[in-house]
Amino acid sequence: MSKEWIKVFIAAVFEVLWVIGLKHSDSLLDWAGTIVAIVISFYGLIMAGRKLPVGTVYAVFVGLGTAGTVFSEVLFFGEPFKAEKIFLVLVLLAGVIGLKLVTDEEPKKGDES
């Protein structure tokens, strides 16, 4: 896994944190943490998008964030476990992994500027 994909993964982790923060923040400190998570998340996404295909980076970012948010709600916040929901998240992850596998990561001549 390249350094750029690690940035996407870290950005997705912070995406899960800020999405949880948007729902559960109720103090100034919570909101400050949510804002910091937003900044870190989008900074990582933007930095990774400079060297990787933006469409693939965004799809992976959103897919990982969605899956992480769904699993976090079930594990930490008592959301009812539904097999259909987990199945659909797994289908989403399979699509994201497939998209990453078929994407050429090498920049084409003239793409770097």
Side-chain angles (χ1 to χ4, degrees), residues 40-85:
I40 292 171
S41 176
F42 281 98
Y43 180 77
L45 180 66
I46 292 168
M47 290 298 111
R50 288 185 172 182
K51 299 206 175 166
L52 296 172
V54 174
T56 304
V57 166
Y58 187 69
V60 170
F61 170 76
V62 171
L64 291 175
T66 301
T69 302
V70 169
F71 288 124
S72 296
E73 286 286 325
V74 171
L75 292 175
F76 303 120
F77 298 104
E79 182 78 20
F81 178 86
K82 293 182 180 176
E84 311 87 58
K85 188 184 278 188

Side-chain angles (χ1 to χ4, degrees), residues 5 8 10 20-21 65-66 69 77 81 87 92 106 111-112:
W5 285 112
V8 175
I10 291 170
I20 290 171
T66 301
T69 302
F77 298 104
F81 178 86
F87 173 74
L92 173 69
E106 295 297 319
D111 281 353
E112 293 186 30

